[in-house]
Amino acid sequence: MKALKDFIYDKNDLIIALLVLVLAALIIAWRMDVIMNYPEVLAQETGTVQVDNSEKGDDKEEGDADKDSAGETTSSGVWSGDKLAKDVTVEINPGSATAAAQCLVDAGLFKSYEDYENACASAGTDPTAIHAATFTFEKGLTKADIAKEVTQ
């Protein structure tokens, strides 16, 4: 019995660390679906995106690619040259400017937050002045027009 007590006393830290690791692994495995669903939940909290695909001639396959204003290939089909190819509706919920601008990025209106900042700079507006609202951008608008609209 003394040998068992000595073993537990000597190895107690290692046993506790091992138990904590096993418990953490079990909890992670049990909640994996919730962990993997978090990006969708975060997107819903920061804003939702709806793109109006009801225009005539918009029967492209989802995998088809277009060129954006920088001449780079995009799969969104939102841009035609440097103008919007179709009407786009974006709901921007309250939050940080970065999270609000991410709604515009998710809709394919900008490639990144930096692209949004550049459009604001060319439009002469403050990128952090983005407003929470539902915006409908009509076909033919430019990135600078969109930047003006969401910051005024």
Side-chain angles (χ1 to χ4, degrees), residues 129-145:
I130 190 167
H131 298 290
T134 299
F135 295 95
T136 299
F137 305 108
E138 295 180 4
K139 179 180 177 179
L141 292 177
T142 64
K143 289 184 179 187
D145 296 333

Side-chain angles (χ1 to χ4, degrees), residues 11-133:
K11 305 299 180 189
N12 147 356
D13 293 338
L14 293 173
I15 293 170
I16 290 175
L18 184 61
L19 287 174
V20 167
L21 285 174
V22 168
L23 184 62
L26 289 173
I27 290 173
I28 290 171
W30 172 52
R31 301 299 289 175
M32 187 61 73
D33 59 331
V34 174
I35 294 169
M36 297 305 287
N37 195 34
Y38 181 71
E40 290 178 26
V41 171
L42 184 62
Q44 288 175 353
E45 289 175 0
T46 59
T48 58
V49 177
Q50 300 170 349
V51 178
D52 181 11
N53 291 325
S54 63
E55 293 206 24
K56 290 182 180 178
D58 193 19
D59 47 334
K60 291 183 181 179
E61 294 288 326
E62 191 171 330
D64 286 351
D66 288 330
K67 299 281 184 179
D68 68 4
S69 61
E72 296 178 11
T73 302
T74 64
S75 60
S76 65
V78 176
W79 293 100
S80 175
D82 61 347
K83 307 247 185 224
L84 273 179
K86 56 189 164 193
D87 293 346
V88 178
T89 300
V90 180
E91 181 181 341
I92 300 175
N93 290 332
S96 69
T98 307
Q102 186 62 42
C103 296
L104 300 172
V105 172
D106 292 342
L109 298 175
F110 297 99
K111 290 182 279 185
S112 63
Y113 183 77
E114 291 77 24
D115 188 29
Y116 164 73
E117 285 180 320
N118 292 338
C120 286
S122 68
T125 62
D126 179 19
T128 61
I130 190 167
H131 298 290

